Amino acid sequence: MSEKQIVLIAGDGIGEEITNSARTVVDAAFAKAGVNAKWIEKKAGGAAIDAFGEPLPQDTIDACQEADAVLLGAVGGPKWDDVDPSIRPEKAILGLRKALGLFCNLRPVKIYPALREFSPLKPELVEDVDFVIVRELTGGIYFGEREEAQGEGPNEFAWDKETYARYEVERIMDVAVETARKRSGKVVSVDKANVLASSRLWRKIAKEKAEANPDISMDYYYVDNTAMQLVTNPGQFDVLVTTNLFGDILSDEGAVISGSLGLLPSASIGTGTSLYEPIHGSAPDIAGQGIANPLGTILSAAMMCRYSLDLPAVADSIEQAVTAVLDAGYRTGDMYREGFTKVNTQGMTDAVIAHLG
Ligand code: IPM
Ligand code: MG
């Protein structure tokens, strides 16, 4: 029996509940496929601050580096709002991205017909929404130099620096082009080249890549226009490629269009072990109640099966099961409307397992 080593980082808040759910689903899907999962549980984020005084212990990094894949719940919460900026829970995510060389974040946004009425946009606007945001993940302002506030009075100041090197832009463009090639061949590169020097380099390289890949159609949008187009005409997009900061912002906007933040998965890929996580946060307000929507994490696990574990059929069966339970009317609280079957985290997990092909 083949074995896959998966590091499981529950993290904080609802992290424990949703990763447990995804683990149970993966175990069930693996059993049908004759694959064994070896789960290695590690701490990161607030949980690691509480246990070890730091958000990302070296032991966690080492385990991730040796594994086939990493599945993460969510990190952070109000409990750690006042810790020193150098050890904030978010540092765990940023540190893992850097340590594992995860320069690319893939965030697919897709409308499930069963959830169309939950989109904040008019149903006719979201009918054809199916795109993927390719976000640069280890460069730009997130990892540039910065200084915390200093000085006093009106002149008190702080700064963060946005830099992009050619190699960083080239490799993310390559992922965007490859991703588009497997879809409908359309890329929109998003920048702020009318103002920022780093964006002008970004756009120059995007144009070079377009020239080198004539089978792909490449458009160039400013980020402000993109934010607007995402709510007025989201169906036009197929692959969006953008910087770390713009990708952070646009992917939340993209996600909410789909009707539930709780449903969207993500994959972070690069030179080391890939990491999979739902795009939502740790939802401290509902943590520990067993009511969180586990589908974003379950779908992240499906992406993990496809991209890291070489188990595309398992990925398909998990994704089809999720579509089936939504069609059958199962809803956690965040997606509930009268007339549907309200379930908690466990109920949703059981329903997905029951629908595995
Ligand atoms: C995300 C999150 C992270 C980010 C935070 C938790 C550091 O918002 O993955 O989008 O900004 O990248
Ligand atoms: Mg974000």
Side-chain angles (χ1 to χ4, degrees):
M1 205 189 227
S2 88
E3 184 177 89
K4 305 290 181 185
Q5 292 207 17
I6 307 165
V7 168
L8 189 70
I9 301 178
D12 309 316
I14 58 170
E16 189 81 41
E17 302 150 64
I18 56 179
T19 51
N20 268 334
S21 163
R23 175 182 181 156
T24 319
V25 170
V26 167
D27 281 338
F30 274 26
K32 284 182 193 281
V35 184
N36 188 37
K38 182 175 173 203
W39 298 93
I40 304 150
E41 290 182 40
K42 292 290 166 190
K43 285 194 196 309
I49 297 176
D50 289 350
F52 312 113
E54 51 173 337
L56 183 59
Q58 186 60 42
D59 168 61
T60 298
I61 298 176
D62 292 344
C64 292
Q65 270 160 347
E66 279 157 31
D68 294 313
V70 182
L71 184 64
L72 185 144
V75 300
K79 183 176 174 196
W80 304 281
D81 269 354
D82 296 323
V83 302
D84 189 84
S86 66
I87 60 157
R88 283 188 65 87
E90 289 77 9
K91 285 269 165 180
I93 303 258
L94 300 175
L96 266 179
R97 289 173 183 167
K98 204 62 174 182
L100 301 175
L102 305 175
F103 64 82
C104 172
N105 187 219
L106 295 171
R107 297 190 165 180
V109 176
K110 163 175 150 181
I111 299 275
Y112 287 85
L115 291 180
R116 207 174 285 157
E117 86 249 36
F118 276 87
S119 175
L121 301 185
K122 298 189 194 89
E124 64 270 23
L125 274 182
V126 295
E127 230 157 72
D128 304 321
V129 167
D130 182 358
F131 59 84
V132 48
I133 298 183
V134 179
R135 169 189 175 193
E136 199 291 323
L137 207 58
T138 49
I141 201 163
Y142 269 62
F143 290 94
E145 291 169 47
R146 61 172 50 90
E147 272 193 288
E148 298 297 328
Q150 52 195 284
E152 265 167 40
N155 291 325
E156 184 179 8
F157 73 102
W159 57 270
D160 306 89
K161 192 165 162 184
E162 168 99 340
T163 35
Y164 268 109
R166 168 170 282 278
Y167 80 92
E168 294 176 301
V169 185
E170 284 186 347
R171 66 186 180 184
I172 196 74
M173 287 297 163
D174 288 340
V175 177
V177 165
E178 273 318 307
T179 306
R181 200 163 267 144
K182 292 188 207 121
R183 298 171 54 98
S184 68
K186 268 178 57 189
V187 178
V188 171
S189 170
V190 180
D191 61 39
K192 189 69 188 172
N194 49 346
V195 178
L196 303 177
S198 51
S199 275
R200 285 189 279 274
L201 175 65
W202 182 277
R203 187 172 288 214
K204 180 167 107 179
I205 295 169
K207 287 189 169 159
E208 291 170 13
K209 290 291 178 188
E211 197 141 300
N213 297 282
D215 59 315
I216 300 298
S217 97
M218 179 95 73
D219 270 314
Y220 313 91
Y221 284 19
Y222 295 135
V223 62
D224 47 353
N225 178 37
T226 311
M228 191 258 289
Q229 300 280 340
L230 272 172
V231 292
T232 51
N233 182 13
Q236 71 182 291
F237 294 114
D238 185 34
V239 174
L240 285 151
V241 59
T242 191
T243 64
N244 206 341
L245 180 63
F246 297 161
D248 179 48
I249 299 165
L250 294 178
S251 62
D252 266 29
E253 190 189 0
V256 79
I257 291 172
S258 79
S260 173
L261 214 55
L263 217 60
L264 292 187
S266 84
S268 299
I269 60 173
T271 53
T273 314
S274 301
L275 180 147
Y276 301 83
E277 57 177 323
I279 80 135
H280 61 73
S282 59
D285 52 320
I286 58 162
Q289 299 177 31
I291 57 170
N293 181 352
L295 294 180
T297 318
I298 291 171
L299 290 168
S300 300
M303 288 183 92
M304 171 178 84
C305 293
R306 178 169 294 115
Y307 295 119
S308 287
L309 305 182
D310 199 21
L311 297 168
V314 175
D316 286 345
S317 82
I318 295 174
E319 285 166 357
Q320 282 159 13
V322 169
T323 305
V325 300
L326 291 173
D327 287 344
Y330 293 96
R331 299 284 187 274
T332 42
D334 56 311
M335 321 182 274
Y336 179 72
R337 289 263 171 96
E338 223 182 280
F340 289 89
T341 308
K342 191 163 183 178
V343 287
N344 59 14
T345 311
Q346 188 60 50
M348 187 57 101
T349 309
D350 295 341
V352 172
I353 291 173
H355 285 81
L356 284 171

